[in-house]
Amino acid sequence: MFVFAQQSSLANQFMAELRNVSLQQDRLRFRRNLERLGELMAYEISKKLTYQNVSVQTPLGIANTQVLRQQPVLATILRAGLPFHQGFANYFDQAENAFAGAYRGYVPDGNDEFEIAMDYIVSPDLSGKVLILCDPMLATGRSLEKVYHALLRYGIPAQTHIAAIIASPEGVRYVQQRLPQCHLWLGAIDDHLNEHFYIVPGLGDSGDLAFGAKV
């Protein structure tokens, strides 16, 4: 598990702006900070991937360097994950992409009890590939687990990385227990989940802040 907040970097600046209730009023800035954190995480994850040696013709000769042996598949959960996912796509610009529509389906009179509803998923073949599954908020971990298992119908990845910006300790434990084969990349681990299963101090509803309130 890699946690950006455990070391000093620009990632902490971007996360501070995401959390700031005044700066959150600027949706463009909010989305851009999600995107920038996606870019930083993509760079860190890239260090763990496999490379091959190639020779490149320059105007003055031959340069020997390394390039990715295989592009990853980038997956995200609609809608909050879109700006974060874009950051990964900016760096892994030849990657294939997968998308899932998953959300909390609340049980009537269930005292905030909910089930994860999923009504849309599309993916390329994942067999033997590197899968990067990104979602800005890792709260309970249940949506990530459901989407991951749904993606397996498209093939078994050789390696899976899960990336989130803000996580709860409860969500981290859940993912580590249920998906021990996955590598976790986190911006910060916050204090706890409240009675409504939102991360505290967190940053609020990232989907609403990025795209506007839903009805």
Side-chain angles (χ1 to χ4, degrees):
M1 183 170 64
F2 183 94
V3 183
F4 278 79
Q6 293 177 351
Q7 54 187 280
S8 298
S9 76
L10 275 174
N12 294 317
Q13 172 71 36
F14 301 151
M15 284 188 286
E17 292 186 8
L18 285 174
R19 294 182 191 268
N20 189 305
V21 69
S22 297
L23 296 178
Q24 287 179 347
Q25 305 308 308
D26 185 344
R27 289 181 190 161
L28 176 61
R29 186 170 183 173
F30 188 85
R31 291 194 300 269
R32 181 63 183 118
N33 279 326
L34 290 174
E35 186 178 343
R36 291 196 287 189
L37 284 160
E39 291 171 345
L40 291 179
M41 288 197 181
Y43 176 73
E44 291 297 331
I45 293 174
S46 76
K47 298 176 184 178
K48 302 299 182 181
L49 304 184
T50 303
Y51 291 79
Q52 60 186 2
N53 295 320
V54 298
S55 298
V56 178
Q57 178 70 56
T58 80
L60 299 176
I62 301 294
N64 297 314
T65 187
Q66 293 183 325
V67 297
L68 280 173
R69 185 177 297 277
Q70 180 188 62
Q71 288 284 332
V73 175
L74 308 177
T76 197
I77 301 174
L78 304 173
R79 65 179 170 154
L82 288 174
F84 190 37
H85 173 268
Q86 184 60 51
F88 284 88
N90 290 346
Y91 277 25
F92 295 114
D93 57 356
Q94 300 299 312
E96 296 177 299
N97 295 267
F99 299 93
Y103 54 92
R104 297 182 182 191
Y106 286 92
V107 178
D109 301 319
N111 296 319
D112 287 321
E113 285 298 317
F114 65 90
E115 298 176 347
I116 301 299
M118 189 170 64
D119 54 15
Y120 175 81
I121 188 165
V122 61
S123 175
D125 181 15
L126 298 176
S127 303
K129 297 180 181 178
V130 174
L131 173 65
I132 301 176
L133 175 55
C134 60
D135 191 23
M137 310 297 285
L138 171 52
T140 66
R142 288 160 59 182
S143 58
L144 278 170
E145 180 194 25
K146 184 160 188 172
V147 169
Y148 173 77
H149 285 298
L151 285 169
L152 295 184
R153 74 181 69 161
Y154 297 94
I156 306 300
Q159 189 180 122
T160 300
H161 300 267
I162 292 176
I165 295 172
I166 307 294
S168 72
E170 297 92 332
V172 170
R173 287 194 296 270
Y174 185 92
V175 170
Q176 288 178 324
Q177 291 168 3
R178 299 296 187 96
L179 305 174
Q181 69 277 27
C182 299
H183 306 275
L184 267 178
W185 301 80
L186 306 172
I189 303 175
D190 278 10
D191 190 64
H192 67 281
L193 288 176
N194 67 14
E195 65 275 15
H196 303 295
F197 303 103
Y198 283 101
I199 303 170
V200 178
L203 54 76
D205 189 308
S206 60
D208 286 357
L209 290 166
F211 298 111
K214 54 189 175 292
V215 295

